[in-house]
């Protein structure tokens, strides 16, 4: 079963459009809540409508059920169609610009007739936005800046959002008898955090039959051997056809990044004295059977696709120094998860049981600290109560050890969010920035280094604060932060939430060089998203991490021993 993403998107759009229209916020939010419920409970809406059971689910009132039923039966919601005829749907994108929101979007629409991002950009350039009440020259500048990011992100998707679609196409290709072999290539195969297309390579002797088959399913655009189309999810797909004799060569060449391929090409020519040819294997007397064979032929160690980003892979493959990368099976500890004590959806016991059934030995509960009021952060008294609950659960031997952690805010001056007598009660302190993002680079760097220096800090949480495709990292000198973690012997988090994947892989490589240990943490707020930790593992591989570099690979005892060796002495 798959969640109907189109419906979820329509419901979210309705919520925002109603707010722009000036409707009651509660009425509008009912649609957004329904979208959240469908996603978090993985509801099969079609099935529920068919069985007449949708109304039994909390949050689905009569009006909502009627609209969803119409959608299931006709593929449309006439209420939504009418709404978008009154209010341009592109305004939804404008509400997501930092500092704008539905109310200001309404103002921009009504006073300046702004309907699109382009309209808004032009109005900023013409200095019209700064003159509207509620805006200023400063906010106009911030908006203009954000628009530039949004434009750079246009057409790009989170890698995880393309998996399902890639899988569907994979199955489709498997069922075409004329397809001899096929594989994902490009960004998806390298596990890039952001992808601009889902790219497949197909080996076949009968191009036309493959094209005919795909044409029954999609609106294809043909350009020689290259087929492109867009899915219902607005994901761009490219399928490249090749004759079998060039398949392995192209598989390799289409997988690597441009930087990687440039250094590979240089090495290839040095090694074989043949000019590099991207399309056709230059050693024409040979038909390659696998990528392993190709690497062997060139006296290179096999390079996993995730590492085919730059010259480093070629250098290490020449030296036969590519390590055994960390894998899902290596993880023993689930660190940095939230519970219903702060802003999580599940109890500590539920989170622990879910982690246990994924095969984990220990879990570190890290709820929000007292300053994070918006997230129901824990005041000192509630910390004590929570610890009592954890002690009780541990005494019941539920098959997984629960550790007392906290995600402490890093306050603007760099200090942690509790007095020492509370801080010393935690087994693990993750320190994270959650507020005052707009400091200068120097101030932010100093703030974070100060937090790293605290004897109570063990792990620095989501170190750059980036939210992929929606928020740039805060201004910070990340190299200095990594240097400080190295100097003070502290751990840096690789936040595995697929919207974050923070630390970026380029910096993970640097952290490893500096001997900094990494914690791969899901930052889950419910049991379902504990598996996000596995996105983190894939991403850690891009940063060349081995089990030795990752603190979650330590057993419960080893982990505690390691944590206790940090800072406190
Ligand atoms: Zn956080
Ligand atoms: Zn968190």
């Amino acid at each position: 079963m798959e969640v109907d993403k189109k419906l979820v998107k329509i419901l979210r759009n309705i919520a925002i459009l109603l707010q722009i229209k000036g409707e009651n916020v509660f009425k509008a939010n009912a649609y957004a809540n329904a979208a959240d419920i469908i996603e978090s409970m993985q509801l099969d809406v079609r099935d529920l409508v068919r069985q007449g059971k949708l109304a039994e689910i909390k949050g689905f009132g009569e009006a909502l059920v009627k609209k969803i039923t119409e959608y299931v039966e006709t593929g449309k919601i006439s209420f939504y169609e009418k709404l978008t005829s009154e209010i341009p749907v592109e305004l939804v994108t404008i509400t997501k610009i930092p500092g704008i929101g539905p109310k200001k979007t309404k103002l921009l629409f009504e006073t300046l007739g702004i309907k699109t991002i382009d309209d808004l950009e032009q109005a900023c350039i013409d200095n019209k936005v700064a003159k509207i009440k509620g805006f200023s020259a400063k906010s106009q500048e911030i908006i203009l800046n954000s628009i530039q990011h949004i434009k750079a992100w246009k057409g790009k998707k989170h890698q995880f959002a393309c998996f399902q679609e890639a899988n569907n196409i994979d199955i489709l290709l498997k069922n075409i008898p004329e397809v001899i072999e096929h594989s994902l290539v490009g960004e998806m195969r390298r596990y890039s955090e952001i992808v601009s297309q889902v790219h497949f390579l197909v080996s076949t002797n009968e191009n036309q039959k493959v094209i005919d088959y795909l044409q029954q399913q999609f609106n294809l655009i043909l350009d020689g051997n290259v087929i492109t189309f867009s899915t219902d999810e607005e994901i761009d797909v490219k399928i490249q056809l090749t004759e079998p004799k060039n398949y392995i060569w192209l598989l390799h060449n289409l997988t690597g990044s441009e930087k990687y391929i440039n250094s590979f090409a240089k090495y290839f020519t040095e090694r074989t004295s043949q000019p590099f040819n991207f399309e056709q294997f230059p050693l024409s007397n040979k038909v390659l059977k696998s990528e392993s064979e190709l690497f062997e032929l060139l006296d290179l160690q096999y390079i996993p696709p995730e590492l085919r980003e730059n010259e480093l892979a070629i250098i290490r493959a020449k030296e036969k120094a590519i390590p055994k990368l960390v894998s899902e099976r290596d993880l023993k500890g689930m660190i940095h998860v939230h519970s219903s004590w702060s802003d999580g959806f599940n109890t500590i016991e539920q989170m622990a049981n879910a982690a246990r059934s994924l095969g984990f030995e220990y879990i570190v509960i890290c709820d929000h600290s007292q300053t994070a009021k918006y997230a129901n952060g824990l005041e000192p008294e509630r910390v004590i109560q929570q610890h009592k609950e954890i002690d009780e659960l541990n005494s019941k031997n539920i098959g997984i050890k629960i550790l007392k952690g906290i995600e402490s805010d890093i306050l603007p001056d760099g200090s942690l969010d509790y007095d020492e007598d509370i801080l010393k009660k935690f087994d693990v302190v993750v320190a994270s920035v959650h507020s005052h993002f707009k400091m200068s680079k120097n101030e932010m760097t100093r703030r974070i280094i100060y937090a790293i220096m605290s004897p109570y800090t063990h792990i620095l949480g989501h170190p750059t604060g980036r939210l992929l495709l929606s928020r740039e990292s805060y201004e910070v000198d990340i190299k200095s932060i990594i240097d400080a973690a190295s100097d003070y012997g502290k751990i840096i988090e690789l936040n595995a939430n697929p919207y974050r994947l923070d630390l970026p892989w380029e910096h993970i490589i640097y952290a490893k060089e500096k001997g900094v240990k990494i914690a791969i943490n899901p930052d889950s707020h419910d049991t379902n998203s504990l598996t996000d930790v596995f996105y983190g593992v894939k991403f850690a591989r891009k940063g060349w991490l081995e089990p030795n570099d990752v603190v979650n690979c330590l057993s419960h005892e080893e982990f505690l021993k390691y944590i206790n060796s940090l800072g406190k002495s």
Side-chain angles (χ1 to χ4, degrees), residues 336 338 368 374 407 432-434 461-462 493 495 500 523 525:
H336 188 173
H338 296 265
H368 286 285
Y374 60 91
E407 181 176 21
S432 308
V433 169
H434 288 125
H462 42 74
E493 171 177 275
N495 192 296
R500 290 186 182 268
D523 197 356
H525 288 70

Side-chain angles (χ1 to χ4, degrees), residues 156-173:
K156 298 195 171 148
K157 303 272 176 197
H158 296 97
Q159 142 103 236
F160 78 94
C162 300
F163 270 132
Q164 190 64 51
E165 210 60 58
N167 220 353
N168 294 345
I169 294 165
D170 184 64
I171 293 167
L172 197 71
L173 291 170

Side-chain angles (χ1 to χ4, degrees), residues 482-497:
I482 293 169
D483 291 343
S486 167
D487 292 345
Y488 291 90
K490 298 301 172 71
I491 302 161
I492 293 185
E493 171 177 275
L494 161 52
N495 192 296
N497 180 316

Side-chain angles (χ1 to χ4, degrees), residues 415-434:
S415 56
L416 300 182
D417 202 10
Y418 295 105
D419 292 336
E420 295 201 2
D421 57 329
I422 295 293
L423 285 171
K424 66 185 173 204
K425 292 186 193 297
F426 297 111
D427 298 317
V428 179
V429 174
V430 176
S432 308
V433 169
H434 288 125

